[in-house]
Amino acid sequence: MMDPEVSVLLHCAHWHGLLESQVQVELSERFNRQTDLALERHIDEVWTKRVSKEPWLFNGAKFRLHSFCLADPQNPPSTPLSHGTIFHHTEDQINQGQRDLGEMHNRCISQTENAEGASNHDYREFNGIADKLPPHPAPLLTLRLGLTCYKDYLGTNWSCGVAKLRQRGEAEFGDPLTLLAQPLGVGAILCTSNGQVVMIRRSQKVAEAGGLLDIPGGHPEPKAVCERLGQRVCEEQIGIAMMERKPEAIVSELFSSVCAEIRDEVNIPLSSLGPPVLMGVALNHTSAGRPSAEFYVSCSLSSDEVRKLYWKGGVEASESTEVVFVSRTEVLQLDRSSPLWSELCPSAKGAVLLYQTVKPDVVPDQRGRGDAKLTPPRVHKETD
């Protein structure tokens, strides 16, 4: 199924998704975007213009996705990925986002990489190979992250000159993404106890995709990591040195932030949510390939209970205007010919594609193994 707005960067279908213990992070200044004085002036001009029109805008720090390493299912790592045999993946130039997601052509490069070896910055997709893993594998995915901010995102990914930035990046660095902010977002396919996937309609007042259906989501926050490590800092003071010795705190924020977004946007208590399962990373080509880590999260509440909580209003209730429920069966069958597909914003489309690919509804104690079995779909009697 080809949709120019989205593509799948990586998926964890072989394992039916990954838990927090199976993911690690490498944080380094090497993974920040490249820049120069002319680009910084451009970013400042864009920001100044936007703030003059929208004075409430806030320049928060974000994590920047540079690249990733995913374990070879045929040779699962017994040590951290940076020291083991891995697949390294880069994205071939997306050719304006046109890609047939139904027929992924996977070009994986097997290599051995030491802890200091930073790779080419682009991304490439990976398709799991059906092979059994040991019961307690080492971390299977390494995300290589730098730091960026919302201001840089508006001045690069969301800039009217982003095509030229991509061309410059390719010509000067051999990498079309090296000058872009590429902030890493998070999103969740949230499934109720009666098999309904929770979506929210975005307010017309939000910056992107107003009026379209979305999934709960947002961004992992570097400031939250610093605070978790006992460092009270303002956004402008946040630096990599504050976090690079505790990468596990970044992984924790990545997984916990998606639950916090569900709580704030849908008003569901954290106690009603299951552990997030990372399905993969999708790219939003309406913002120059901005990446988002997409999760599956189960909920112990029914759709009726969720609806009642939503209408009571959460912390971020103003960002949406209604809650919509779509059966799990329908979500698994969605494609571009479905009327609902045109109502989805790009982030929701990417999450749906990953959900259809990864099928994360598995027996919990089987996750991480190649022999996991899918639970049978529920029979739904109610209509929403």
Side-chain angles (χ1 to χ4, degrees):
M1 176 174 58
M2 181 173 63
D3 189 311
E5 292 187 341
V6 293
S7 66
V8 171
L9 169 61
L10 78 96
H11 66 71
C12 307
H14 174 75
W15 304 281
H16 296 290
L18 301 180
L19 296 173
E20 182 175 334
S21 61
Q22 297 168 309
V23 178
Q24 65 183 10
V25 160
E26 183 181 359
L27 183 71
S28 172
E29 291 184 357
R30 292 175 297 145
F31 306 142
N32 290 350
R33 67 178 178 85
Q34 298 291 327
T35 191
D36 57 27
L37 289 177
L39 178 53
E40 290 307 302
R41 283 195 298 268
H42 170 73
I43 291 172
D44 286 339
E45 290 171 1
V46 171
W47 179 251
T48 301
K49 186 176 181 179
R50 283 293 297 269
V51 171
S52 67
K53 296 179 179 179
E54 305 168 62
W56 57 84
L57 287 180
F58 174 69
N59 184 28
K62 308 295 177 188
F63 290 108
R64 178 180 190 269
L65 180 62
H66 172 281
S67 52
F68 68 92
C69 296
L70 190 62
D72 175 0
Q74 297 187 90
N75 298 287
S78 57
T79 58
L81 291 182
S82 57
H83 298 282
T85 300
I86 61 173
F87 277 130
H88 175 69
H89 317 276
T90 62
E91 173 202 25
D92 288 326
Q93 294 181 24
I94 302 171
N95 189 24
Q96 306 302 318
Q98 300 290 338
R99 187 180 303 244
D100 189 345
L101 296 175
E103 299 180 0
M104 289 184 181
H105 300 290
N106 305 291
R107 292 176 289 171
C108 303
I109 301 173
S110 180
Q111 65 180 42
T112 300
E113 180 171 279
N114 60 38
E116 296 300 318
S119 57
N120 189 334
H121 183 138
D122 295 336
Y123 307 126
R124 187 167 294 169
E125 297 173 1
F126 169 77
N127 192 3
I129 302 171
D131 189 56
K132 293 183 179 180
L133 291 174
H136 302 289
L140 299 170
L141 173 65
T142 296
L143 297 174
R144 290 172 167 154
L145 304 179
L147 282 181
T148 187
C149 63
Y150 186 59
K151 173 183 174 181
D152 288 358
Y153 166 69
L154 291 182
T156 58
N157 288 69
W158 202 241
S159 168
C160 61
V162 65
K164 291 182 178 180
L165 290 178
R166 289 178 62 97
Q167 291 170 1
R168 271 192 59 198
E170 178 64 34
E172 297 176 19
F173 300 94
D175 171 13
L177 303 179
T178 194
L179 298 173
L180 306 187
Q182 294 298 89
L184 178 63
V186 294
I189 292 289
L190 174 64
C191 195
T192 66
S193 62
N194 59 324
Q196 300 289 308
V197 173
V198 180
M199 294 188 176
I200 51 179
R201 191 171 300 280
R202 293 173 63 84
S203 166
Q204 294 288 359
K205 298 179 181 179
V206 296
E208 299 177 42
L212 297 179
L213 288 178
D214 200 359
I215 55 172
H219 295 84
E221 303 292 348
K223 186 176 182 180
V225 176
C226 291
E227 291 176 347
R228 188 172 300 174
L229 297 176
Q231 303 181 59
R232 299 285 180 177
V233 295
C234 63
E235 296 282 350
E236 293 76 13
Q237 296 174 320
I238 293 174
I240 283 177
M242 299 176 179
M243 299 175 282
E244 61 184 347
R245 294 187 179 181
K246 291 287 185 179
E248 63 273 14
I250 302 173
V251 177
S252 179
E253 167 63 10
L254 178 66
F255 278 73
S256 64
S257 64
V258 73
C259 291
E261 294 292 346
I262 293 171
R263 176 198 61 200
D264 294 345
E265 295 182 1
V266 192
N267 200 30
I268 297 176
L270 297 179
S271 59
S272 298
L273 302 177
V277 177
L278 178 62
M279 299 185 294
V281 176
L283 301 178
N284 180 347
H285 298 301
T286 67
S287 50
R290 179 183 56 179
S292 182
E294 307 296 356
F295 294 82
Y296 169 81
V297 179
S298 62
C299 177
S300 62
L301 304 177
S302 69
S303 54
D304 280 342
E305 291 171 316
V306 169
R307 182 186 290 106
K308 291 175 183 178
L309 288 171
Y310 173 83
W311 287 114
K312 287 182 179 179
V315 175
E316 298 178 359
S318 63
E319 295 184 2
S320 64
T321 58
E322 67 172 322
V323 63
V324 176
F325 298 93
V326 184
S327 72
R328 174 185 180 274
T329 302
E330 183 177 355
V331 172
L332 288 171
Q333 296 173 349
L334 278 177
D335 58 30
R336 290 193 71 187
S337 66
S338 307
L340 182 62
W341 188 261
S342 62
E343 287 195 65
L344 301 182
C345 66
S347 55
K349 291 177 180 179
V352 166
L353 290 175
L354 281 165
Y355 182 64
Q356 293 173 340
T357 302
V358 176
K359 298 180 176 64
D361 312 63
V362 300
V363 180
D365 62 4
Q366 293 293 309
R367 191 174 306 284
R369 304 184 187 184
D371 55 351
K373 295 181 179 180
L374 291 175
T375 56
R378 298 177 182 268
V379 176
H380 314 305
K381 295 182 179 181
E382 75 166 17
T383 56
D384 295 299

